Amino acid sequence: MSVLRLKLPTDPRWVNIVEKNIEEILTDHAWCEQKAATNAITIITNNSEHQDLVQDLLALAKEEIDHFEQVHNIIIKRGLKLGRERKDDYVNELYLYMKKNGNGSRVSSLVERLLFSAMIEARSCERFKVLSENIQDEELSVFYRDLMESEAGHYTTFITYARKYGTGIDVEKRWREWIEFEASVIANYGKSETIHG
């Protein structure tokens, strides 16, 4: 996953925790997909003047909702229940970092939101890879390998638009700062049966 440039890889033993509560990981995952779709719509709402961004993020939002449906179908097929929406402490820490680091301009707000989104997609992609390679459940192994490829595409979309519309901002420098910050955050996770937990 060197393309994602993440500094701290997930310990594969995290999958042992996940396997003890498949219902919880699937519920958490479903809500992650719903939030990703909502996030894409929010970016569209706030930046509707960028036609190419709107088109690409509409496609991305549809894909995230499709993933939500796929996870929900697995939950139903296994006789499990989609639990209530879960709080995502990892994402909340990234969100606060995003809010703190914008300078108030529309360009800065857009770049920060896109890098925030790219960071979540990068970590989700890495977690899906770890799941696909280590989980004993064959159906879920194949499912997470397929999703991993999709999440990598989403990461690329967000980074590309940050570079395109980040006029006057050193986007590469900001991305390196995001990667450093994310490493300090994720170091506290990997102990619960959630996608970012």
Short mmCIF file of all heavy atoms in Angstrom, two decimals, residues 89-143:
data_model
loop_
_atom_site.label_atom_id
_atom_site.label_comp_id
_atom_site.label_asym_id
_atom_site.label_seq_id
_atom_site.Cartn_x
_atom_site.Cartn_y
_atom_site.Cartn_z
N ASP A 89 -14.69 7.58 16.23
CA ASP A 89 -13.76 8.48 16.92
C ASP A 89 -12.57 8.86 16.04
O ASP A 89 -12.10 9.99 16.07
CB ASP A 89 -13.26 7.84 18.22
CG ASP A 89 -14.37 7.70 19.26
OD1 ASP A 89 -15.25 8.58 19.29
OD2 ASP A 89 -14.36 6.71 20.02
N TYR A 90 -12.10 7.90 15.26
CA TYR A 90 -10.98 8.15 14.35
C TYR A 90 -11.33 9.28 13.36
O TYR A 90 -10.59 10.25 13.22
CB TYR A 90 -10.63 6.86 13.62
CG TYR A 90 -9.76 7.03 12.39
CD1 TYR A 90 -8.37 7.14 12.50
CD2 TYR A 90 -10.33 7.06 11.11
CE1 TYR A 90 -7.57 7.29 11.36
CE2 TYR A 90 -9.53 7.20 9.98
CZ TYR A 90 -8.17 7.32 10.11
OH TYR A 90 -7.39 7.47 8.99
N VAL A 91 -12.47 9.14 12.71
CA VAL A 91 -12.91 10.16 11.74
C VAL A 91 -13.15 11.49 12.44
O VAL A 91 -12.81 12.55 11.90
CB VAL A 91 -14.17 9.69 10.97
CG1 VAL A 91 -14.78 10.83 10.14
CG2 VAL A 91 -13.81 8.52 10.06
N ASN A 92 -13.70 11.45 13.63
CA ASN A 92 -13.94 12.71 14.37
C ASN A 92 -12.64 13.44 14.68
O ASN A 92 -12.60 14.68 14.61
CB ASN A 92 -14.72 12.43 15.66
CG ASN A 92 -16.18 12.07 15.39
OD1 ASN A 92 -16.70 12.39 14.32
ND2 ASN A 92 -16.81 11.39 16.32
N GLU A 93 -11.59 12.70 14.99
CA GLU A 93 -10.29 13.35 15.24
C GLU A 93 -9.76 14.00 13.96
O GLU A 93 -9.22 15.11 13.99
CB GLU A 93 -9.27 12.33 15.78
CG GLU A 93 -9.52 11.95 17.23
CD GLU A 93 -8.36 11.18 17.82
OE1 GLU A 93 -7.22 11.69 17.79
OE2 GLU A 93 -8.59 10.05 18.33
N LEU A 94 -9.91 13.33 12.83
CA LEU A 94 -9.49 13.90 11.55
C LEU A 94 -10.34 15.13 11.21
O LEU A 94 -9.82 16.13 10.69
CB LEU A 94 -9.61 12.87 10.42
CG LEU A 94 -8.73 11.62 10.50
CD1 LEU A 94 -8.86 10.82 9.21
CD2 LEU A 94 -7.28 11.94 10.76
N TYR A 95 -11.62 15.06 11.52
CA TYR A 95 -12.54 16.18 11.23
C TYR A 95 -12.13 17.44 12.01
O TYR A 95 -12.09 18.54 11.46
CB TYR A 95 -13.97 15.77 11.59
CG TYR A 95 -15.00 16.83 11.27
CD1 TYR A 95 -15.50 16.99 9.97
CD2 TYR A 95 -15.48 17.68 12.28
CE1 TYR A 95 -16.44 17.97 9.69
CE2 TYR A 95 -16.41 18.66 11.99
CZ TYR A 95 -16.89 18.80 10.70
OH TYR A 95 -17.82 19.78 10.41
N LEU A 96 -11.80 17.26 13.27
CA LEU A 96 -11.38 18.40 14.10
C LEU A 96 -10.07 19.00 13.57
O LEU A 96 -9.90 20.22 13.56
CB LEU A 96 -11.23 17.98 15.56
CG LEU A 96 -12.54 17.63 16.28
CD1 LEU A 96 -12.26 17.06 17.66
CD2 LEU A 96 -13.45 18.85 16.38
N TYR A 97 -9.18 18.15 13.11
CA TYR A 97 -7.91 18.61 12.52
C TYR A 97 -8.20 19.42 11.25
O TYR A 97 -7.60 20.48 11.04
CB TYR A 97 -7.04 17.40 12.20
CG TYR A 97 -5.71 17.73 11.57
CD1 TYR A 97 -4.68 18.29 12.32
CD2 TYR A 97 -5.47 17.45 10.22
CE1 TYR A 97 -3.44 18.58 11.74
CE2 TYR A 97 -4.24 17.74 9.64
CZ TYR A 97 -3.23 18.30 10.40
OH TYR A 97 -2.02 18.59 9.83
N MET A 98 -9.14 18.94 10.44
CA MET A 98 -9.52 19.64 9.22
C MET A 98 -10.08 21.03 9.55
O MET A 98 -9.69 22.03 8.95
CB MET A 98 -10.58 18.82 8.46
CG MET A 98 -11.21 19.55 7.28
SD MET A 98 -12.61 18.66 6.55
CE MET A 98 -13.90 18.97 7.77
N LYS A 99 -10.99 21.08 10.52
CA LYS A 99 -11.64 22.35 10.89
C LYS A 99 -10.63 23.36 11.42
O LYS A 99 -10.71 24.55 11.17
CB LYS A 99 -12.72 22.11 11.94
CG LYS A 99 -13.90 21.30 11.48
CD LYS A 99 -14.64 21.89 10.31
CE LYS A 99 -15.66 22.91 10.74
NZ LYS A 99 -16.47 23.41 9.61
N LYS A 100 -9.65 22.86 12.14
CA LYS A 100 -8.66 23.73 12.78
C LYS A 100 -7.67 24.31 11.77
O LYS A 100 -7.10 25.38 11.99
CB LYS A 100 -7.90 22.88 13.82
CG LYS A 100 -7.04 23.68 14.78
CD LYS A 100 -6.39 22.76 15.80
CE LYS A 100 -5.22 22.04 15.17
NZ LYS A 100 -4.47 21.19 16.09
N ASN A 101 -7.48 23.61 10.65
CA ASN A 101 -6.41 23.98 9.74
C ASN A 101 -6.83 24.76 8.49
O ASN A 101 -5.98 25.17 7.72
CB ASN A 101 -5.61 22.74 9.33
CG ASN A 101 -4.66 22.33 10.45
OD1 ASN A 101 -3.59 22.88 10.59
ND2 ASN A 101 -5.09 21.40 11.28
N GLY A 102 -8.12 24.95 8.29
CA GLY A 102 -8.55 25.80 7.18
C GLY A 102 -8.30 27.26 7.54
O GLY A 102 -8.33 27.63 8.71
N ASN A 103 -8.04 28.10 6.53
CA ASN A 103 -7.80 29.52 6.84
C ASN A 103 -9.04 30.38 6.63
O ASN A 103 -8.98 31.61 6.66
CB ASN A 103 -6.61 30.06 6.01
CG ASN A 103 -6.92 30.10 4.52
OD1 ASN A 103 -8.07 29.99 4.09
ND2 ASN A 103 -5.88 30.25 3.71
N GLY A 104 -10.17 29.72 6.38
CA GLY A 104 -11.43 30.47 6.22
C GLY A 104 -11.81 30.74 4.78
O GLY A 104 -12.95 31.06 4.50
N SER A 105 -10.85 30.60 3.85
CA SER A 105 -11.17 30.84 2.44
C SER A 105 -11.88 29.62 1.86
O SER A 105 -11.74 28.51 2.37
CB SER A 105 -9.90 31.13 1.64
OG SER A 105 -9.15 29.94 1.45
N ARG A 106 -12.61 29.83 0.77
CA ARG A 106 -13.32 28.72 0.13
C ARG A 106 -12.34 27.69 -0.44
O ARG A 106 -12.58 26.49 -0.36
CB ARG A 106 -14.25 29.23 -0.98
CG ARG A 106 -15.44 30.02 -0.43
CD ARG A 106 -16.55 30.20 -1.43
NE ARG A 106 -17.26 28.94 -1.62
CZ ARG A 106 -17.50 28.40 -2.82
NH1 ARG A 106 -17.08 28.98 -3.90
NH2 ARG A 106 -18.16 27.27 -2.92
N VAL A 107 -11.23 28.19 -0.99
CA VAL A 107 -10.23 27.28 -1.56
C VAL A 107 -9.63 26.41 -0.47
O VAL A 107 -9.53 25.19 -0.61
CB VAL A 107 -9.12 28.07 -2.30
CG1 VAL A 107 -7.97 27.14 -2.71
CG2 VAL A 107 -9.68 28.77 -3.52
N SER A 108 -9.26 27.03 0.63
CA SER A 108 -8.68 26.28 1.75
C SER A 108 -9.68 25.26 2.30
O SER A 108 -9.33 24.11 2.57
CB SER A 108 -8.25 27.25 2.85
OG SER A 108 -7.89 26.53 4.01
N SER A 109 -10.93 25.67 2.44
CA SER A 109 -11.97 24.76 2.95
C SER A 109 -12.14 23.55 2.03
O SER A 109 -12.27 22.42 2.51
CB SER A 109 -13.32 25.48 3.07
OG SER A 109 -13.23 26.49 4.05
N LEU A 110 -12.12 23.81 0.72
CA LEU A 110 -12.27 22.71 -0.24
C LEU A 110 -11.07 21.76 -0.16
O LEU A 110 -11.25 20.54 -0.08
CB LEU A 110 -12.41 23.26 -1.67
CG LEU A 110 -12.42 22.21 -2.79
CD1 LEU A 110 -13.54 21.19 -2.60
CD2 LEU A 110 -12.53 22.88 -4.16
N VAL A 111 -9.87 22.32 -0.15
CA VAL A 111 -8.67 21.48 -0.10
C VAL A 111 -8.65 20.64 1.18
O VAL A 111 -8.39 19.43 1.15
CB VAL A 111 -7.38 22.33 -0.23
CG1 VAL A 111 -6.14 21.52 0.14
CG2 VAL A 111 -7.25 22.88 -1.64
N GLU A 112 -8.95 21.27 2.31
CA GLU A 112 -8.95 20.53 3.58
C GLU A 112 -9.98 19.41 3.57
O GLU A 112 -9.72 18.30 4.03
CB GLU A 112 -9.20 21.48 4.76
CG GLU A 112 -8.02 22.37 5.10
CD GLU A 112 -6.75 21.59 5.46
OE1 GLU A 112 -6.81 20.72 6.34
OE2 GLU A 112 -5.71 21.85 4.83
N ARG A 113 -11.16 19.70 3.02
CA ARG A 113 -12.22 18.68 2.98
C ARG A 113 -11.81 17.52 2.06
O ARG A 113 -12.07 16.35 2.35
CB ARG A 113 -13.53 19.30 2.49
CG ARG A 113 -14.74 18.38 2.58
CD ARG A 113 -15.15 18.26 4.04
NE ARG A 113 -16.24 17.35 4.24
CZ ARG A 113 -17.22 17.54 5.13
NH1 ARG A 113 -17.22 18.62 5.89
NH2 ARG A 113 -18.16 16.68 5.30
N LEU A 114 -11.17 17.84 0.95
CA LEU A 114 -10.74 16.80 0.02
C LEU A 114 -9.62 15.95 0.61
O LEU A 114 -9.60 14.72 0.45
CB LEU A 114 -10.29 17.43 -1.30
CG LEU A 114 -11.41 18.03 -2.16
CD1 LEU A 114 -10.83 18.87 -3.30
CD2 LEU A 114 -12.34 16.96 -2.71
N LEU A 115 -8.70 16.59 1.34
CA LEU A 115 -7.61 15.83 1.96
C LEU A 115 -8.12 14.98 3.13
O LEU A 115 -7.67 13.84 3.33
CB LEU A 115 -6.48 16.77 2.40
CG LEU A 115 -5.75 17.50 1.27
CD1 LEU A 115 -4.61 18.35 1.82
CD2 LEU A 115 -5.22 16.54 0.20
N PHE A 116 -9.06 15.52 3.88
CA PHE A 116 -9.75 14.77 4.94
C PHE A 116 -10.39 13.51 4.33
O PHE A 116 -10.23 12.40 4.85
CB PHE A 116 -10.81 15.69 5.57
CG PHE A 116 -11.92 15.03 6.33
CD1 PHE A 116 -11.73 14.57 7.61
CD2 PHE A 116 -13.19 14.92 5.77
CE1 PHE A 116 -12.77 13.99 8.34
CE2 PHE A 116 -14.24 14.36 6.47
CZ PHE A 116 -14.03 13.88 7.76
N SER A 117 -11.07 13.69 3.22
CA SER A 117 -11.75 12.58 2.54
C SER A 117 -10.75 11.57 2.00
O SER A 117 -10.94 10.35 2.14
CB SER A 117 -12.61 13.12 1.39
OG SER A 117 -13.50 14.11 1.85
N ALA A 118 -9.67 12.06 1.40
CA ALA A 118 -8.63 11.18 0.86
C ALA A 118 -8.00 10.35 1.96
O ALA A 118 -7.71 9.16 1.79
CB ALA A 118 -7.57 12.00 0.13
N MET A 119 -7.79 10.98 3.12
CA MET A 119 -7.15 10.29 4.25
C MET A 119 -8.01 9.13 4.72
O MET A 119 -7.51 8.02 4.97
CB MET A 119 -6.96 11.31 5.38
CG MET A 119 -6.01 10.87 6.47
SD MET A 119 -4.27 11.06 5.99
CE MET A 119 -3.87 9.37 5.56
N ILE A 120 -9.31 9.36 4.84
CA ILE A 120 -10.23 8.30 5.29
C ILE A 120 -10.26 7.17 4.28
O ILE A 120 -10.22 5.99 4.64
CB ILE A 120 -11.64 8.87 5.54
CG1 ILE A 120 -11.61 9.88 6.68
CG2 ILE A 120 -12.63 7.74 5.86
CD1 ILE A 120 -12.87 10.72 6.81
N GLU A 121 -10.33 7.52 2.99
CA GLU A 121 -10.35 6.50 1.95
C GLU A 121 -9.05 5.69 1.95
O GLU A 121 -9.07 4.47 1.78
CB GLU A 121 -10.55 7.15 0.57
CG GLU A 121 -11.90 7.83 0.39
CD GLU A 121 -13.08 6.89 0.23
OE1 GLU A 121 -12.88 5.66 0.14
OE2 GLU A 121 -14.21 7.37 0.20
N ALA A 122 -7.92 6.37 2.15
CA ALA A 122 -6.63 5.67 2.17
C ALA A 122 -6.58 4.66 3.30
O ALA A 122 -6.18 3.50 3.11
CB ALA A 122 -5.49 6.68 2.30
N ARG A 123 -6.99 5.07 4.49
CA ARG A 123 -6.97 4.14 5.64
C ARG A 123 -7.99 3.03 5.47
O ARG A 123 -7.72 1.87 5.78
CB ARG A 123 -7.20 4.91 6.94
CG ARG A 123 -7.17 4.02 8.19
CD ARG A 123 -5.87 3.22 8.33
NE ARG A 123 -4.71 4.05 8.64
CZ ARG A 123 -3.48 3.59 8.75
NH1 ARG A 123 -3.21 2.29 8.58
NH2 ARG A 123 -2.48 4.42 9.01
N SER A 124 -9.17 3.36 4.95
CA SER A 124 -10.19 2.33 4.72
C SER A 124 -9.68 1.30 3.73
O SER A 124 -9.85 0.09 3.92
CB SER A 124 -11.49 2.95 4.20
OG SER A 124 -12.02 3.87 5.14
N CYS A 125 -9.04 1.77 2.68
CA CYS A 125 -8.46 0.90 1.67
C CYS A 125 -7.43 -0.04 2.31
O CYS A 125 -7.44 -1.25 2.06
CB CYS A 125 -7.81 1.77 0.59
SG CYS A 125 -7.05 0.84 -0.74
N GLU A 126 -6.57 0.52 3.15
CA GLU A 126 -5.55 -0.29 3.82
C GLU A 126 -6.19 -1.31 4.75
O GLU A 126 -5.77 -2.48 4.81
CB GLU A 126 -4.61 0.65 4.59
CG GLU A 126 -3.38 -0.04 5.15
CD GLU A 126 -3.45 -0.38 6.63
OE1 GLU A 126 -4.46 -0.03 7.27
OE2 GLU A 126 -2.51 -1.00 7.14
N ARG A 127 -7.23 -0.91 5.47
CA ARG A 127 -7.93 -1.84 6.37
C ARG A 127 -8.61 -2.97 5.59
O ARG A 127 -8.61 -4.13 6.00
CB ARG A 127 -8.95 -1.09 7.24
CG ARG A 127 -8.31 -0.25 8.37
CD ARG A 127 -7.87 -1.15 9.50
NE ARG A 127 -7.05 -0.54 10.50
CZ ARG A 127 -7.48 -0.12 11.70
NH1 ARG A 127 -8.75 -0.16 12.00
NH2 ARG A 127 -6.63 0.36 12.57
N PHE A 128 -9.21 -2.62 4.44
CA PHE A 128 -9.86 -3.63 3.62
C PHE A 128 -8.83 -4.64 3.10
O PHE A 128 -9.11 -5.83 3.01
CB PHE A 128 -10.60 -3.00 2.43
CG PHE A 128 -11.82 -2.20 2.81
CD1 PHE A 128 -12.41 -1.34 1.89
CD2 PHE A 128 -12.39 -2.30 4.07
CE1 PHE A 128 -13.54 -0.59 2.23
CE2 PHE A 128 -13.51 -1.56 4.42
CZ PHE A 128 -14.09 -0.70 3.50
N LYS A 129 -7.65 -4.16 2.77
CA LYS A 129 -6.58 -5.05 2.31
C LYS A 129 -6.19 -6.03 3.42
O LYS A 129 -6.06 -7.23 3.20
CB LYS A 129 -5.36 -4.23 1.88
CG LYS A 129 -4.21 -5.07 1.35
CD LYS A 129 -3.10 -4.18 0.82
CE LYS A 129 -2.07 -4.98 0.04
NZ LYS A 129 -1.19 -5.79 0.86
N VAL A 130 -6.02 -5.50 4.63
CA VAL A 130 -5.66 -6.34 5.78
C VAL A 130 -6.76 -7.38 6.03
O VAL A 130 -6.47 -8.56 6.28
CB VAL A 130 -5.40 -5.48 7.04
CG1 VAL A 130 -5.23 -6.34 8.28
CG2 VAL A 130 -4.17 -4.59 6.84
N LEU A 131 -8.02 -6.94 5.94
CA LEU A 131 -9.14 -7.87 6.12
C LEU A 131 -9.12 -8.95 5.03
O LEU A 131 -9.23 -10.14 5.33
CB LEU A 131 -10.48 -7.12 6.06
CG LEU A 131 -10.95 -6.46 7.35
CD1 LEU A 131 -12.14 -5.54 7.07
CD2 LEU A 131 -11.34 -7.51 8.40
N SER A 132 -8.98 -8.53 3.78
CA SER A 132 -9.05 -9.48 2.67
C SER A 132 -7.95 -10.54 2.76
O SER A 132 -8.15 -11.69 2.36
CB SER A 132 -8.98 -8.75 1.32
OG SER A 132 -7.67 -8.28 1.07
N GLU A 133 -6.79 -10.15 3.30
CA GLU A 133 -5.65 -11.08 3.36
C GLU A 133 -5.62 -11.95 4.61
O GLU A 133 -4.90 -12.95 4.64
CB GLU A 133 -4.35 -10.27 3.26
CG GLU A 133 -4.14 -9.65 1.88
CD GLU A 133 -2.93 -8.73 1.82
OE1 GLU A 133 -2.35 -8.43 2.89
OE2 GLU A 133 -2.58 -8.31 0.71
N ASN A 134 -6.38 -11.56 5.63
CA ASN A 134 -6.24 -12.27 6.91
C ASN A 134 -7.52 -12.89 7.46
O ASN A 134 -7.44 -13.75 8.34
CB ASN A 134 -5.67 -11.30 7.96
CG ASN A 134 -4.25 -10.88 7.63
OD1 ASN A 134 -3.31 -11.62 7.85
ND2 ASN A 134 -4.10 -9.69 7.05
N ILE A 135 -8.68 -12.47 6.96
CA ILE A 135 -9.92 -13.00 7.53
C ILE A 135 -10.15 -14.43 7.02
O ILE A 135 -9.87 -14.73 5.85
CB ILE A 135 -11.12 -12.07 7.22
CG1 ILE A 135 -12.28 -12.33 8.18
CG2 ILE A 135 -11.57 -12.17 5.75
CD1 ILE A 135 -13.30 -11.19 8.23
N GLN A 136 -10.63 -15.31 7.89
CA GLN A 136 -10.85 -16.72 7.53
C GLN A 136 -12.10 -16.90 6.67
O GLN A 136 -12.21 -17.86 5.92
CB GLN A 136 -10.98 -17.57 8.81
CG GLN A 136 -9.75 -17.55 9.70
CD GLN A 136 -8.52 -18.11 9.01
OE1 GLN A 136 -8.55 -19.21 8.47
NE2 GLN A 136 -7.44 -17.34 9.00
N ASP A 137 -13.02 -15.98 6.80
CA ASP A 137 -14.30 -16.03 6.09
C ASP A 137 -14.07 -15.74 4.61
O ASP A 137 -13.74 -14.63 4.22
CB ASP A 137 -15.24 -14.98 6.71
CG ASP A 137 -16.65 -15.04 6.19
OD1 ASP A 137 -16.83 -15.05 4.96
OD2 ASP A 137 -17.58 -15.06 7.01
N GLU A 138 -14.26 -16.76 3.77
CA GLU A 138 -13.91 -16.63 2.34
C GLU A 138 -14.75 -15.58 1.63
O GLU A 138 -14.24 -14.80 0.81
CB GLU A 138 -14.04 -17.99 1.64
CG GLU A 138 -13.23 -18.04 0.37
CD GLU A 138 -13.12 -19.45 -0.21
OE1 GLU A 138 -12.93 -20.40 0.56
OE2 GLU A 138 -13.23 -19.55 -1.44
N GLU A 139 -16.03 -15.56 1.91
CA GLU A 139 -16.92 -14.57 1.26
C GLU A 139 -16.46 -13.15 1.58
O GLU A 139 -16.37 -12.29 0.69
CB GLU A 139 -18.37 -14.76 1.73
CG GLU A 139 -19.32 -13.77 1.07
CD GLU A 139 -20.73 -13.78 1.66
OE1 GLU A 139 -20.88 -14.11 2.86
OE2 GLU A 139 -21.67 -13.42 0.94
N LEU A 140 -16.16 -12.90 2.84
CA LEU A 140 -15.74 -11.55 3.24
C LEU A 140 -14.34 -11.22 2.71
O LEU A 140 -14.06 -10.07 2.38
CB LEU A 140 -15.79 -11.41 4.76
CG LEU A 140 -17.18 -11.42 5.38
CD1 LEU A 140 -17.11 -11.21 6.89
CD2 LEU A 140 -18.09 -10.35 4.75
N SER A 141 -13.49 -12.21 2.59
CA SER A 141 -12.15 -12.00 2.03
C SER A 141 -12.25 -11.47 0.61
O SER A 141 -11.61 -10.47 0.24
CB SER A 141 -11.36 -13.30 2.06
OG SER A 141 -10.12 -13.14 1.41
N VAL A 142 -13.09 -12.11 -0.22
CA VAL A 142 -13.28 -11.68 -1.61
C VAL A 142 -13.97 -10.31 -1.65
O VAL A 142 -13.57 -9.42 -2.41
CB VAL A 142 -14.13 -12.73 -2.38
CG1 VAL A 142 -14.52 -12.20 -3.76
CG2 VAL A 142 -13.37 -14.03 -2.50
N PHE A 143 -14.97 -10.12 -0.81
CA PHE A 143 -15.72 -8.86 -0.75
C PHE A 143 -14.78 -7.69 -0.43
O PHE A 143 -14.82 -6.65 -1.11
CB PHE A 143 -16.81 -8.98 0.32
CG PHE A 143 -17.63 -7.74 0.52
CD1 PHE A 143 -18.40 -7.22 -0.51
CD2 PHE A 143 -17.65 -7.09 1.75
CE1 PHE A 143 -19.16 -6.07 -0.32
CE2 PHE A 143 -18.40 -5.96 1.94
CZ PHE A 143 -19.17 -5.44 0.91
#
